[in-house]
Amino acid sequence: MRLSNKENISLKLKDVYQEALRDGISQSDLHQVYKKSVVGKLLPASSSVWNCENVVVFYLSAIMTCILISIYYDGVDPRCIVGTNSLTQELSRPTFQCDMCKDIDQVPTIDGNLLTKDLFLSKYAYTGIPLLVKNGAKNWSALHTFSFDYLKDLYQLTDGALEAVAENCQFFPYKTSFLSLEEVFEMPKEQSRLEPGQPEWYVGWSNCHPDVARELRRHYTVPTFLPDDSESSNLDWLFMGGFGGGANIHIDYVQRPSWQAMIAGKKSWKIIPSPECDSVCKTLNATMEKGDIILVDTNMWYHSTYIHPGEMSITIGSEYD
């Protein structure tokens, strides 16, 4: 089973969004065009130059054309950069409840030794506010087991594991030239060890191979503070790489909130409220160290990550409800 239309479209829409940001278009510009396009208003055109709004109109015009074609053909037309499902989802994204974060200026942080199921449920769960749990994963054997070489051996020696990522899962190359997880594990040793002078790299992928999942879960568990009746996704999400920018600013299209554990290295998050709350809510920052867990509803909050110098960054996470 290959990626669904929804998953494929989500990746393509993220590419369009990130390309717009790289072209110098601000999130505020994107939001203003979004609001105007939804109510059917046209932005003023410039006869001499393409300003930020004109460029965004071009992006949105291409996307809306694809929507009409896709609706007509009841599917995704291969001529379009995106199809119906993901864009419809983005346009119909529930409005961020700004009251939720108007008085929050930093990510709440708690020691994992103090966070019980009852406390999590009564104070933190399902509020939509990110939470950083210090030492929440300190007892996992993954902290002493997971490495580039461990993951490389696991995927290369497990029959069909790399094919599963390519065909059924998702792979995020970010700013690298890698086209697949297989290529990642074929990089020169010097690059994989983050030696000076080697190209920087940072990648992410989901695992949907059952044998790999069983092996990974020998070394980690779902966070112990999650409620007993909480259901977790069968997918593991892994992110790995060295110093520099991690993921660019984006919002996810997953089913539920997510948790992510820092297995190695140090990573900082920038967590940004939706544009409709720009004047009410503040951008939040959180830094994860080895053994920490962060919980973020990445469907609600835009976010980006930064990898600190030093040890290779490895995180693993999943969704929960």
Side-chain angles (χ1 to χ4, degrees):
M1 179 179 178
R2 294 183 178 277
L3 290 178
S4 66
N5 285 344
K6 175 181 176 180
E7 292 168 326
N8 273 315
I9 293 167
S10 176
L11 289 174
K12 292 174 183 176
L13 186 58
K14 288 176 186 176
D15 289 342
V16 172
Y17 174 78
Q18 291 174 2
E19 184 65 30
L21 291 177
R22 285 194 291 270
D23 286 344
I25 304 170
S26 69
Q27 291 183 44
S28 177
D29 289 329
L30 289 169
H31 180 54
Q32 291 301 317
V33 174
Y34 162 78
K35 290 195 297 185
K36 293 180 181 181
S37 66
V38 168
V39 298
K41 295 179 181 179
L42 294 177
L43 295 172
S46 169
S47 59
S48 57
V49 297
W50 274 47
N51 57 29
C52 285
E53 288 192 345
N54 296 145
V55 175
V56 176
V57 168
F58 172 79
Y59 282 119
L60 290 178
S61 298
I63 292 171
M64 293 306 295
T65 300
C66 292
I67 284 181
L68 295 176
I69 295 174
S70 297
I71 292 174
Y72 179 80
Y73 287 105
D74 192 28
V76 179
D77 189 279
R79 293 169 293 176
C80 297
I81 56 173
V82 297
T84 307
N85 294 340
S86 182
L87 187 60
T88 302
Q89 184 180 30
E90 173 66 12
L91 294 177
S92 62
R93 174 178 58 81
T95 302
F96 197 102
Q97 299 301 314
C98 303
D99 287 344
M100 173 188 71
C101 59
K102 66 179 182 180
D103 296 321
I104 304 294
D105 58 9
Q106 61 183 0
V107 174
T109 302
I110 186 171
D111 191 298
N113 296 316
L114 304 177
L115 186 58
T116 64
K117 294 179 187 291
D118 289 341
L119 179 59
F120 177 73
L121 189 59
S122 64
K123 188 173 181 180
Y124 300 108
Y126 317 120
T127 63
I129 300 299
L131 175 67
L132 178 62
V133 183
K134 300 296 292 182
N135 299 309
K138 69 175 183 178
N139 295 322
W140 294 0
S141 61
L143 275 63
H144 315 292
T145 306
F146 288 8
S147 66
F148 179 90
D149 289 334
Y150 165 82
L151 293 169
K152 176 180 178 178
D153 288 345
L154 176 59
Y155 275 90
Q156 290 185 339
L157 298 177
T158 302
D159 186 41
L162 290 170
E163 291 80 2
V165 174
E167 297 176 5
N168 303 329
C169 306
Q170 292 184 3
F171 173 73
F172 300 105
Y174 296 115
K175 296 180 180 179
T176 71
S177 59
F178 300 123
L179 299 178
S180 68
L181 186 59
E182 182 175 11
E183 288 190 5
V184 172
F185 290 136
E186 291 176 347
M187 76 171 74
K189 286 185 178 181
E190 295 78 9
Q191 185 178 5
S192 71
R193 294 170 180 169
L194 308 179
E195 293 185 3
Q198 294 297 313
E200 296 177 1
W201 62 274
Y202 181 81
V203 298
W205 72 94
S206 60
N207 173 69
C208 46
H209 191 284
D211 293 342
V212 172
R214 278 190 289 271
E215 169 61 19
L216 293 174
R217 293 172 190 183
R218 288 181 55 237
H219 300 289
Y220 86 89
T221 65
V222 297
T224 56
F225 51 80
L226 292 182
D228 290 331
D229 59 354
S230 174
E231 295 184 2
S232 295
S233 169
N234 290 325
L235 285 179
D236 301 296
W237 290 90
L238 296 103
F239 301 89
M240 178 172 65
F243 165 67
N248 291 326
I249 296 173
H250 67 286
I251 197 167
D252 293 333
Y253 302 102
V254 292
Q255 299 299 317
R256 295 170 282 193
S258 301
W259 62 265
Q260 189 176 121
M262 198 81 218
I263 303 302
K266 185 176 180 180
K267 177 193 289 189
S268 289
W269 288 62
K270 179 177 287 187
I271 304 171
I272 306 165
S274 295
E276 60 265 27
C277 299
D278 279 348
S279 62
V280 178
C281 301
K282 297 179 180 178
T283 294
L284 307 177
N285 296 282
T287 296
M288 301 176 68
E289 297 178 296
K290 188 172 183 176
D292 294 346
I293 297 175
I294 194 168
L295 297 96
V296 183
D297 190 337
T298 56
N299 302 292
M300 299 172 55
W301 294 85
Y302 288 84
H303 52 285
S304 64
T305 56
Y306 169 80
I307 309 305
H308 291 259
E311 186 181 18
M312 178 184 298
S313 169
I314 300 177
T315 58
I316 190 167
S318 189
E319 302 167 38
Y320 73 96
D321 64 12

